[in-house]
Amino acid sequence: MCGIVGYIGKSDAPTVLINGLRRLEYRGYDSAGLAIIDDERIIISKSAGKVSSLNERARTDWSPDLFSRSTLGIAHTRWATHGPPTEVNAHPHLDRTGEVALVHNGIIENYRSLRARLEGKGHHFYSETDTEVLAHLIGDCDKGDLFQAVCDALHQVEGTFGIAVLSSREPEKIITARRGSPIVIGVGDGETIIASDAAAILAHTQRVIYLDDDDIAIVTADSVDIRDLHNIPVTREIAELGFDAAAAEKCGHEHFMLKEIHEQPEALANAIRGRLDFNLGSSVLAGMGTSPRELADLGRVVLVGCGTSLHAGLVGEYAFEDLADIHAEVQQAAEFRYRNPIIGNRDLVVAISQSGETADTLAAVREANQKGAFVMSLCNVVGSTIARETGRGVYLHAGPEISVASTKAFTCQVAVLLMMALKLGRGRRFSREDGIRLAREIEMIPALVAKVIQQNDHIAEIAGTYAKCEHAFFIGRGPMYPVAMEGALKLKEISYIHAEGFHASELKHGPIALLEKGTPVIAIACDVPGKDKMLGNIEECRARGAHILGLVSEGDHETAECMDDFITIPRCHPLVATIPAVVALQLFSYHVARLRGCEIDQPRNLAKSVTVE
Ligand code: M6R
């Protein structure tokens, strides 16, 4: 979604800001803009569309000299919420005097009443955005102290914000603040970079400070002074990012998605490393922060997430019930706090989120905390809001995931959920020997995934048969049912083919009406419980003319013969097999989308992290 970059230092600010915005492009956006201060005036350049258009625009409008003498500025990529993605709605927005500029992520929920009040005082608004209202409000509060003006304005707003503000009257600083929308500050050598995502900071420094909600910072080239909204100083540690700029590069791959699919053996090895205990037949997940007694006392596991993370939770549901003999259920994070979730202090709520910033998942975490549940998270982004608010949990260590379509985060989420289920299972149901056997299976996951990736060329060839279809149906049973849902999500988001995932038995309760001659059905028919019934479901589809692509277990020639095309999945534990199976579907979706000429890494209308409800 929207991205913020702010810079104050010794380099040419417009170039630094535009490069920073490029690093945030993966998050999804539809317009961009930047503001600098020159000769005691704020100068703005904006463009609907891509950062490349903004770059051209700024380089046309501004002289090279202006570029090189500006050492402070703020910039933004906007994912439209209030008003279409036009130049006038793009950020930065100015206050009434034109002396204060603001970029903003999040939503000011009471902007209508604030706007009416300001209009009553003679303010005129040019855009449809909530952000312009906040810019005017800050300007209205400014009595000569920008920091105090931002504090006063933020006391009046309801909603979420990550902001960066500059004023031509105080041109040596940027004010930044957050509530519900991340801000990270990179502390460089004689330069400070503000961003909504560490990806924009990587090129400058590894040293970062994550703001907490209701923190507000006065940032100069050499200092970061953080306070709360009542002007009380607060201390925030400097953290190391732990990954370098190369991690956010394509490294020779045509797309980030393909790179991230190929990175999975390594990402999974990182997610698993040091976390299996072959002696006890268990797993070591210190971040869970649970004693064996607490684990034994748990009544239920509730998994919450959205999109791909929700699908990982669905696999986790099977894993917790099968392996740990504990009641488990998945709830859509978006619904969690709007129903009456029956949650108590013997329930473990696991929030699953790659970004750790998804608004719905964060809201579910807060609801579960309020209800006294034992809450933990499974996040990829270190220091993200959900990771910090839960305080307990397990990081995925998958490395930065840039492509909007989640791949390596999903497989690492499932691997970690399997390890969590193993840990719970050992306290409840598993013998040491059972535990060791499962730990050995989990240890093999990176190699199993590598075997699927070796079929890349074969999968690319198969994709040609499906690239022109308009609809596709994915079916699975048992733990392969969530894999079918994830396969369908992947295909629809990057290829724009209408794809749906169903439990194979559900087909004849309705969706089978959609099958006609040639309709692709992607059947996950690996050797998992229920496979015989799955073969029956495939025959039902074939009888109606469907074209079947099967995922079959290695060496299962009989099943392979039922398929029009097939991809083999290495033999392993049925829950473990969900991981190589999904990798095959990721590659399939990728190649179909590539053949259709789609913009794979930044699909239309999508954002990498969805920070609004
Ligand atoms: O960062 P999160 O895991 O919380 O994100 C949840 C979803 O928005 C995300 O998985 C989305 O569905 C992806 N586009 C899937 O590829």
Side-chain angles (χ1 to χ4, degrees):
M1 288 202 139
C2 306
I4 288 177
V5 188
Y7 178 79
I8 178 162
K10 47 201 174 196
S11 300
D12 134 7
T15 304
V16 171
L17 294 170
I18 288 169
N19 287 341
L21 291 184
R22 285 199 177 109
R23 295 269 185 204
L24 301 187
E25 285 194 287
Y26 78 96
R27 303 180 66 88
Y29 69 102
D30 28 47
S31 59
L34 79 160
I36 53 172
I37 298 179
D38 186 60
D39 198 17
E40 296 178 14
R41 280 180 316 127
I42 290 180
I43 310 178
I44 287 187
S45 186
K46 295 184 189 184
S47 170
K50 295 290 176 192
V51 172
S52 52
S53 321
L54 174 68
N55 186 36
E56 273 170 38
R57 184 69 180 270
R59 287 185 192 278
T60 314
D61 293 351
W62 299 349
S63 67
D65 192 36
L66 178 56
F67 259 71
S68 58
R69 67 174 182 257
S70 309
T71 55
L72 164 147
I74 54 177
H76 192 257
T77 45
R78 173 175 184 257
W79 188 84
T81 57
H82 298 67
T86 56
E87 198 173 303
V88 76
N89 285 331
H91 304 200
H93 286 285
L94 292 170
D95 78 327
R96 174 156 68 166
T97 63
E99 291 172 347
V100 172
L102 165 75
V103 292
H104 163 230
N105 289 355
I107 289 182
I108 305 301
E109 286 167 2
N110 59 336
Y111 83 101
R112 281 198 182 83
S113 57
L114 292 171
R115 181 173 170 140
R117 178 150 58 83
L118 289 163
E119 278 171 341
K121 291 171 90 176
H123 289 246
H124 176 75
F125 294 92
Y126 297 92
S127 78
E128 295 163 66
T129 65
D130 51 340
T131 303
E132 191 185 9
V133 175
L134 180 55
H136 278 239
L137 185 62
I138 293 170
D140 198 58
C141 293
D142 194 351
K143 309 285 179 272
D145 178 348
L146 182 64
F147 169 82
Q148 196 52 52
V150 176
C151 280
D152 292 346
L154 293 181
H155 277 296
Q156 300 175 52
V157 305
E158 290 161 19
T160 54
F161 53 81
I163 56 168
V165 192
L166 47 85
S167 164
S168 55
R169 292 192 294 268
E170 298 177 49
E172 71 298 335
K173 66 176 75 143
I174 299 174
I175 307 291
T176 182
R178 71 157 276 171
R179 181 185 294 159
S181 199
I183 291 287
V184 51
I185 302 173
V187 183
D189 182 12
E191 60 180 4
T192 312
I193 310 100
I194 297 160
S196 51
D197 178 326
I201 291 177
L202 279 172
H204 299 267
T205 179
Q206 286 278 306
R207 302 174 73 225
V208 293
I209 300 171
Y210 296 98
L211 290 193
D212 274 354
D213 271 356
D214 288 340
D215 283 355
I216 171 163
I218 306 162
V219 172
T220 70
D222 313 294
S223 66
V224 179
D225 176 5
I226 309 175
R227 316 206 176 168
D228 68 14
L229 289 182
H230 300 283
N231 204 356
I232 311 284
V234 293
T235 308
R236 303 283 172 237
E237 300 295 316
I238 295 188
E240 286 288 317
L241 276 178
F243 54 92
D244 59 18
E249 302 287 352
K250 286 188 204 154
C251 299
H253 290 276
E254 198 178 336
H255 296 98
F256 279 110
M257 182 179 179
L258 189 62
K259 177 192 175 218
E260 286 158 9
I261 291 173
H262 278 83
E263 278 174 349
Q264 288 179 105
E266 194 190 333
L268 284 156
N270 290 340
I272 295 167
R273 186 172 300 115
R275 288 173 165 173
L276 291 170
D277 182 335
F278 294 101
N279 199 18
L280 292 177
S282 184
S283 61
V284 188
L285 299 169
M288 282 177 73
T290 39
S291 65
R293 171 175 285 267
E294 280 169 326
L295 286 184
D297 278 354
L298 286 179
R300 190 169 55 137
V301 180
V302 179
L303 303 129
V304 293
C306 301
T308 288
S309 296
L310 182 74
H311 296 156
L314 286 165
V315 179
E317 186 180 11
Y318 284 91
F320 282 109
E321 295 199 343
D322 280 8
L323 304 175
D325 225 3
I326 185 167
H327 173 71
E329 64 187 60
V330 180
Q331 296 198 18
Q332 249 177 357
E335 269 307 299
F336 192 77
R337 72 166 168 168
Y338 295 111
R339 49 198 281 191
N340 179 27
I342 311 300
I343 299 284
N345 58 10
R346 287 185 58 231
D347 293 330
L348 169 64
V349 174
V350 184
I352 309 173
S353 174
Q354 187 286 130
S355 61
E357 302 294 347
T358 301
D360 286 321
T361 311
L362 180 59
V365 163
R366 289 177 177 160
E367 179 73 16
N369 268 329
Q370 190 161 9
K371 295 214 151 161
F374 202 87
V375 185
M376 65 178 62
S377 60
L378 222 153
C379 294
N380 191 36
V381 177
V382 175
S384 55
T385 308
I386 292 173
R388 285 183 300 134
E389 283 214 9
T390 49
R392 267 190 294 244
V394 185
Y395 278 123
L396 303 179
H397 299 314
E401 193 180 67
I402 307 292
S403 171
V404 165
S406 185
T407 54
K408 60 180 180 172
F410 175 87
T411 49
C412 290
Q413 285 165 345
V414 174
V416 172
L417 286 166
L418 292 180
M419 291 189 285
M420 286 172 86
L422 170 63
K423 189 176 173 78
L424 254 77
R426 267 297 273 135
R428 291 168 170 260
R429 158 183 186 183
F430 265 47
S431 68
R432 178 175 171 271
E433 284 64 36
D434 288 342
I436 293 174
R437 222 170 290 127
L438 184 63
R440 295 246 173 272
E441 292 258 7
I442 295 173
E443 190 190 26
M444 290 305 295
I445 291 173
L448 301 174
V449 166
K451 270 187 141 182
V452 173
I453 292 174
Q454 280 165 12
Q455 297 177 69
N456 180 48
D457 292 350
H458 167 63
I459 297 172
E461 205 180 306
I462 290 178
T465 312
Y466 302 84
K468 291 211 168 72
C469 70
E470 284 176 28
H471 307 277
F473 300 100
F474 289 69
I475 56 172
R477 281 178 167 264
M480 294 303 173
Y481 164 45
V483 170
M485 294 176 72
E486 175 57 12
L489 175 65
K490 222 68 313 157
L491 186 66
K492 79 179 97 176
E493 68 181 333
I494 60 167
S495 75
Y496 313 143
I497 291 172
H498 168 230
E500 300 296 340
F502 297 108
H503 190 283
S505 95
E506 266 301 309
L507 269 193
K508 50 185 166 292
H509 297 287
I512 203 164
L514 298 168
L515 294 190
E516 24 182 64
K517 192 166 169 15
T519 307
V521 171
I522 294 90
I524 301 136
C526 313
D527 246 340
V528 300
K531 194 194 97 184
D532 290 347
K533 297 209 166 44
M534 182 72 188
L535 292 178
N537 300 137
I538 291 169
E539 286 314 319
E540 291 157 9
C541 297
R542 179 185 296 294
R544 282 148 187 97
H547 184 94
I548 316 285
L549 165 61
L551 266 54
V552 302
S553 294
E554 214 168 25
D556 185 356
H557 304 297
E558 211 179 311
T559 304
E561 272 169 24
C562 306
M563 312 296 174
D564 294 298
D565 301 302
F566 67 90
I567 303 167
T568 51
I569 304 302
R571 284 187 180 274
C572 52
H573 187 287
L575 283 159
V576 170
T578 56
I579 295 178
V582 96
V583 173
L585 298 180
Q586 293 167 355
L587 279 170
F588 172 72
S589 302
Y590 171 80
H591 288 296
V592 170
R594 186 179 52 80
L595 290 169
R596 289 167 71 92
C598 297
E599 214 177 323
I600 292 179
D601 285 331
Q602 290 164 43
R604 68 183 178 212
N605 304 338
L606 293 182
K608 181 64 182 164
S609 78
V610 181
T611 50
V612 293
E613 281 189 60

mmCIF file of all heavy atoms in Angstrom, residues 306-310 352-358 361 386 404-407 413 486 489-490 493 606-610, ligand 1:
data_model
loop_
_atom_site.group_PDB
_atom_site.id
_atom_site.type_symbol
_atom_site.label_atom_id
_atom_site.label_comp_id
_atom_site.label_asym_id
_atom_site.label_seq_id
_atom_site.Cartn_x
_atom_site.Cartn_y
_atom_site.Cartn_z
ATOM 1 N N CYS A 306 -5.013 -13.335 6.943
ATOM 2 C CA CYS A 306 -5.739 -12.938 5.735
ATOM 3 C C CYS A 306 -5.024 -13.513 4.520
ATOM 4 O O CYS A 306 -3.800 -13.691 4.537
ATOM 5 C CB CYS A 306 -5.725 -11.413 5.565
ATOM 6 S SG CYS A 306 -6.441 -10.529 6.923
ATOM 7 N N GLY A 307 -5.754 -13.749 3.467
ATOM 8 C CA GLY A 307 -5.177 -14.157 2.184
ATOM 9 C C GLY A 307 -4.328 -15.403 2.310
ATOM 10 O O GLY A 307 -4.744 -16.415 2.892
ATOM 11 N N THR A 308 -3.124 -15.321 1.787
ATOM 12 C CA THR A 308 -2.215 -16.457 1.819
ATOM 13 C C THR A 308 -1.927 -16.895 3.252
ATOM 14 O O THR A 308 -1.832 -18.091 3.541
ATOM 15 C CB THR A 308 -0.918 -16.080 1.071
ATOM 16 O OG1 THR A 308 -1.237 -16.041 -0.317
ATOM 17 C CG2 THR A 308 0.195 -17.057 1.287
ATOM 18 N N SER A 309 -1.790 -15.938 4.150
ATOM 19 C CA SER A 309 -1.520 -16.289 5.554
ATOM 20 C C SER A 309 -2.692 -17.052 6.159
ATOM 21 O O SER A 309 -2.508 -17.922 7.009
ATOM 22 C CB SER A 309 -1.227 -15.031 6.371
ATOM 23 O OG SER A 309 -0.048 -14.432 5.900
ATOM 24 N N LEU A 310 -3.898 -16.723 5.708
ATOM 25 C CA LEU A 310 -5.072 -17.469 6.169
ATOM 26 C C LEU A 310 -4.982 -18.919 5.683
ATOM 27 O O LEU A 310 -5.296 -19.860 6.408
ATOM 28 C CB LEU A 310 -6.339 -16.796 5.622
ATOM 29 C CG LEU A 310 -7.663 -17.418 6.049
ATOM 30 C CD1 LEU A 310 -7.967 -17.090 7.502
ATOM 31 C CD2 LEU A 310 -8.810 -16.903 5.186
ATOM 32 N N ILE A 352 -1.043 -14.860 12.022
ATOM 33 C CA ILE A 352 -0.093 -15.192 10.950
ATOM 34 C C ILE A 352 -0.059 -14.032 9.960
ATOM 35 O O ILE A 352 -1.099 -13.654 9.409
ATOM 36 C CB ILE A 352 -0.520 -16.493 10.235
ATOM 37 C CG1 ILE A 352 -0.769 -17.605 11.261
ATOM 38 C CG2 ILE A 352 0.530 -16.922 9.223
ATOM 39 C CD1 ILE A 352 -1.357 -18.870 10.659
ATOM 40 N N SER A 353 1.125 -13.479 9.738
ATOM 41 C CA SER A 353 1.221 -12.345 8.815
ATOM 42 C C SER A 353 2.653 -12.188 8.319
ATOM 43 O O SER A 353 3.569 -12.030 9.119
ATOM 44 C CB SER A 353 0.785 -11.053 9.528
ATOM 45 O OG SER A 353 1.000 -9.941 8.700
ATOM 46 N N GLN A 354 2.820 -12.265 7.021
ATOM 47 C CA GLN A 354 4.150 -12.037 6.446
ATOM 48 C C GLN A 354 4.664 -10.666 6.853
ATOM 49 O O GLN A 354 5.736 -10.534 7.419
ATOM 50 C CB GLN A 354 4.070 -12.156 4.915
ATOM 51 C CG GLN A 354 5.391 -12.114 4.164
ATOM 52 C CD GLN A 354 6.054 -10.751 4.059
ATOM 53 O OE1 GLN A 354 7.248 -10.628 4.360
ATOM 54 N NE2 GLN A 354 5.310 -9.723 3.690
ATOM 55 N N SER A 355 3.859 -9.640 6.549
ATOM 56 C CA SER A 355 4.315 -8.260 6.757
ATOM 57 C C SER A 355 4.303 -7.869 8.225
ATOM 58 O O SER A 355 5.063 -6.999 8.641
ATOM 59 C CB SER A 355 3.395 -7.304 5.999
ATOM 60 O OG SER A 355 2.072 -7.434 6.509
ATOM 61 N N GLY A 356 3.393 -8.483 8.980
ATOM 62 C CA GLY A 356 3.220 -8.056 10.371
ATOM 63 C C GLY A 356 2.527 -6.709 10.473
ATOM 64 O O GLY A 356 2.511 -6.086 11.537
ATOM 65 N N GLU A 357 1.939 -6.237 9.367
ATOM 66 C CA GLU A 357 1.296 -4.919 9.370
ATOM 67 C C GLU A 357 -0.150 -4.976 8.915
ATOM 68 O O GLU A 357 -0.799 -3.927 8.833
ATOM 69 C CB GLU A 357 2.056 -3.940 8.449
ATOM 70 C CG GLU A 357 3.516 -3.729 8.785
ATOM 71 C CD GLU A 357 3.744 -3.040 10.130
ATOM 72 O OE1 GLU A 357 2.776 -2.506 10.701
ATOM 73 O OE2 GLU A 357 4.900 -3.072 10.604
ATOM 74 N N THR A 358 -0.662 -6.139 8.576
ATOM 75 C CA THR A 358 -2.025 -6.222 8.036
ATOM 76 C C THR A 358 -3.034 -5.730 9.080
ATOM 77 O O THR A 358 -3.105 -6.263 10.195
ATOM 78 C CB THR A 358 -2.316 -7.670 7.605
ATOM 79 O OG1 THR A 358 -1.349 -8.006 6.618
ATOM 80 C CG2 THR A 358 -3.699 -7.825 7.036
ATOM 81 N N THR A 361 -5.457 -8.244 10.728
ATOM 82 C CA THR A 361 -4.802 -9.210 11.617
ATOM 83 C C THR A 361 -4.380 -8.517 12.911
ATOM 84 O O THR A 361 -4.514 -9.076 14.006
ATOM 85 C CB THR A 361 -3.598 -9.860 10.894
ATOM 86 O OG1 THR A 361 -4.055 -10.298 9.607
ATOM 87 C CG2 THR A 361 -3.047 -11.041 11.660
ATOM 88 N N ILE A 386 2.731 -6.247 14.363
ATOM 89 C CA ILE A 386 2.102 -7.430 14.972
ATOM 90 C C ILE A 386 3.131 -8.191 15.809
ATOM 91 O O ILE A 386 2.835 -8.635 16.927
ATOM 92 C CB ILE A 386 1.468 -8.326 13.881
ATOM 93 C CG1 ILE A 386 0.273 -7.604 13.264
ATOM 94 C CG2 ILE A 386 1.059 -9.691 14.445
ATOM 95 C CD1 ILE A 386 -0.359 -8.277 12.062
ATOM 96 N N VAL A 404 4.384 -9.014 -4.706
ATOM 97 C CA VAL A 404 3.091 -8.904 -4.005
ATOM 98 C C VAL A 404 2.517 -10.291 -3.734
ATOM 99 O O VAL A 404 1.946 -10.557 -2.675
ATOM 100 C CB VAL A 404 2.109 -8.032 -4.831
ATOM 101 C CG1 VAL A 404 0.686 -8.194 -4.336
ATOM 102 C CG2 VAL A 404 2.524 -6.567 -4.744
ATOM 103 N N ALA A 405 2.690 -11.195 -4.678
ATOM 104 C CA ALA A 405 2.193 -12.563 -4.476
ATOM 105 C C ALA A 405 3.129 -13.274 -3.504
ATOM 106 O O ALA A 405 4.318 -13.439 -3.762
ATOM 107 C CB ALA A 405 2.154 -13.299 -5.806
ATOM 108 N N SER A 406 2.567 -13.699 -2.413
ATOM 109 C CA SER A 406 3.385 -14.317 -1.372
ATOM 110 C C SER A 406 3.735 -15.754 -1.752
ATOM 111 O O SER A 406 2.871 -16.518 -2.175
ATOM 112 C CB SER A 406 2.586 -14.286 -0.068
ATOM 113 O OG SER A 406 3.362 -14.759 0.985
ATOM 114 N N THR A 407 4.998 -16.108 -1.633
ATOM 115 C CA THR A 407 5.421 -17.475 -1.967
ATOM 116 C C THR A 407 6.222 -18.065 -0.814
ATOM 117 O O THR A 407 5.758 -18.926 -0.087
ATOM 118 C CB THR A 407 6.263 -17.494 -3.259
ATOM 119 O OG1 THR A 407 7.353 -16.559 -3.117
ATOM 120 C CG2 THR A 407 5.427 -17.147 -4.473
ATOM 121 N N GLN A 413 5.709 -20.212 6.657
ATOM 122 C CA GLN A 413 4.636 -20.206 7.668
ATOM 123 C C GLN A 413 4.198 -21.636 7.973
ATOM 124 O O GLN A 413 4.058 -22.033 9.132
ATOM 125 C CB GLN A 413 3.419 -19.413 7.153
ATOM 126 C CG GLN A 413 3.612 -17.905 7.182
ATOM 127 C CD GLN A 413 2.568 -17.164 6.339
ATOM 128 O OE1 GLN A 413 1.875 -17.757 5.513
ATOM 129 N NE2 GLN A 413 2.468 -15.859 6.535
ATOM 130 N N GLU A 486 -4.944 -21.954 -1.984
ATOM 131 C CA GLU A 486 -3.779 -21.099 -2.190
ATOM 132 C C GLU A 486 -3.364 -21.103 -3.673
ATOM 133 O O GLU A 486 -3.000 -20.071 -4.222
ATOM 134 C CB GLU A 486 -2.620 -21.561 -1.283
ATOM 135 C CG GLU A 486 -1.306 -20.845 -1.470
ATOM 136 C CD GLU A 486 -1.367 -19.328 -1.285
ATOM 137 O OE1 GLU A 486 -2.372 -18.802 -0.791
ATOM 138 O OE2 GLU A 486 -0.392 -18.656 -1.695
ATOM 139 N N LEU A 489 -5.685 -18.787 -5.452
ATOM 140 C CA LEU A 489 -5.395 -17.379 -5.134
ATOM 141 C C LEU A 489 -4.177 -16.904 -5.931
ATOM 142 O O LEU A 489 -4.172 -15.810 -6.511
ATOM 143 C CB LEU A 489 -5.146 -17.208 -3.632
ATOM 144 C CG LEU A 489 -4.725 -15.811 -3.186
ATOM 145 C CD1 LEU A 489 -5.825 -14.791 -3.413
ATOM 146 C CD2 LEU A 489 -4.320 -15.782 -1.726
ATOM 147 N N LYS A 490 -3.140 -17.758 -5.956
ATOM 148 C CA LYS A 490 -1.931 -17.373 -6.677
ATOM 149 C C LYS A 490 -2.240 -17.116 -8.144
ATOM 150 O O LYS A 490 -1.829 -16.123 -8.722
ATOM 151 C CB LYS A 490 -0.912 -18.515 -6.538
ATOM 152 C CG LYS A 490 0.475 -18.213 -6.284
ATOM 153 C CD LYS A 490 0.929 -17.627 -4.987
ATOM 154 C CE LYS A 490 0.186 -16.492 -4.424
ATOM 155 N NZ LYS A 490 0.316 -16.317 -3.004
ATOM 156 N N GLU A 493 -4.439 -13.880 -8.678
ATOM 157 C CA GLU A 493 -3.858 -12.557 -8.399
ATOM 158 C C GLU A 493 -2.807 -12.146 -9.412
ATOM 159 O O GLU A 493 -2.665 -10.969 -9.701
ATOM 160 C CB GLU A 493 -3.382 -12.410 -6.950
ATOM 161 C CG GLU A 493 -2.205 -13.228 -6.535
ATOM 162 C CD GLU A 493 -1.835 -13.002 -5.059
ATOM 163 O OE1 GLU A 493 -2.108 -11.935 -4.503
ATOM 164 O OE2 GLU A 493 -1.239 -13.920 -4.467
ATOM 165 N N LEU A 606 -3.565 -4.539 -6.365
ATOM 166 C CA LEU A 606 -3.123 -5.208 -5.138
ATOM 167 C C LEU A 606 -2.003 -4.435 -4.452
ATOM 168 O O LEU A 606 -1.245 -3.713 -5.089
ATOM 169 C CB LEU A 606 -2.624 -6.617 -5.440
ATOM 170 C CG LEU A 606 -3.675 -7.621 -5.910
ATOM 171 C CD1 LEU A 606 -3.048 -8.974 -6.127
ATOM 172 C CD2 LEU A 606 -4.796 -7.724 -4.895
ATOM 173 N N ALA A 607 -1.906 -4.637 -3.155
ATOM 174 C CA ALA A 607 -0.831 -4.032 -2.374
ATOM 175 C C ALA A 607 -0.149 -5.123 -1.568
ATOM 176 O O ALA A 607 -0.779 -6.123 -1.215
ATOM 177 C CB ALA A 607 -1.407 -2.995 -1.429
ATOM 178 N N LYS A 608 1.110 -4.937 -1.297
ATOM 179 C CA LYS A 608 1.850 -5.976 -0.578
ATOM 180 C C LYS A 608 1.388 -6.101 0.862
ATOM 181 O O LYS A 608 1.240 -7.199 1.375
ATOM 182 C CB LYS A 608 3.361 -5.675 -0.639
ATOM 183 C CG LYS A 608 4.231 -6.715 0.061
ATOM 184 C CD LYS A 608 4.133 -8.070 -0.616
ATOM 185 C CE LYS A 608 4.940 -9.133 0.081
ATOM 186 N NZ LYS A 608 4.532 -10.500 -0.345
ATOM 187 N N SER A 609 1.220 -4.974 1.522
ATOM 188 C CA SER A 609 0.683 -5.146 2.872
ATOM 189 C C SER A 609 -0.527 -4.233 3.018
ATOM 190 O O SER A 609 -0.489 -3.049 2.668
ATOM 191 C CB SER A 609 1.747 -4.918 3.939
ATOM 192 O OG SER A 609 1.981 -3.583 4.138
ATOM 193 N N VAL A 610 -1.608 -4.819 3.495
ATOM 194 C CA VAL A 610 -2.897 -4.137 3.478
ATOM 195 C C VAL A 610 -3.117 -3.514 4.851
ATOM 196 O O VAL A 610 -3.545 -4.179 5.787
ATOM 197 C CB VAL A 610 -4.013 -5.127 3.085
ATOM 198 C CG1 VAL A 610 -5.360 -4.424 3.043
ATOM 199 C CG2 VAL A 610 -3.701 -5.741 1.727
HETATM 200 O O1 M6R B 1 1.337 -9.634 5.264
HETATM 201 P P1 M6R B 1 0.221 -10.603 5.454
HETATM 202 O O2 M6R B 1 0.673 -12.021 5.413
HETATM 203 O O3 M6R B 1 -0.598 -10.312 6.668
HETATM 204 O O4 M6R B 1 -0.715 -10.379 4.196
HETATM 205 C C1 M6R B 1 -1.937 -11.042 4.074
HETATM 206 C C2 M6R B 1 -2.468 -10.957 2.669
HETATM 207 O O5 M6R B 1 -2.721 -9.641 2.318
HETATM 208 C C3 M6R B 1 -1.496 -11.570 1.654
HETATM 209 O O6 M6R B 1 -1.192 -12.882 1.975
HETATM 210 C C4 M6R B 1 -2.113 -11.529 0.245
HETATM 211 O O7 M6R B 1 -3.199 -12.394 0.172
HETATM 212 C C5 M6R B 1 -1.062 -11.838 -0.812
HETATM 213 N N1 M6R B 1 -1.272 -10.995 -1.951
HETATM 214 C C6 M6R B 1 -1.099 -13.241 -1.281
HETATM 215 O O8 M6R B 1 -0.209 -13.527 -2.291
#
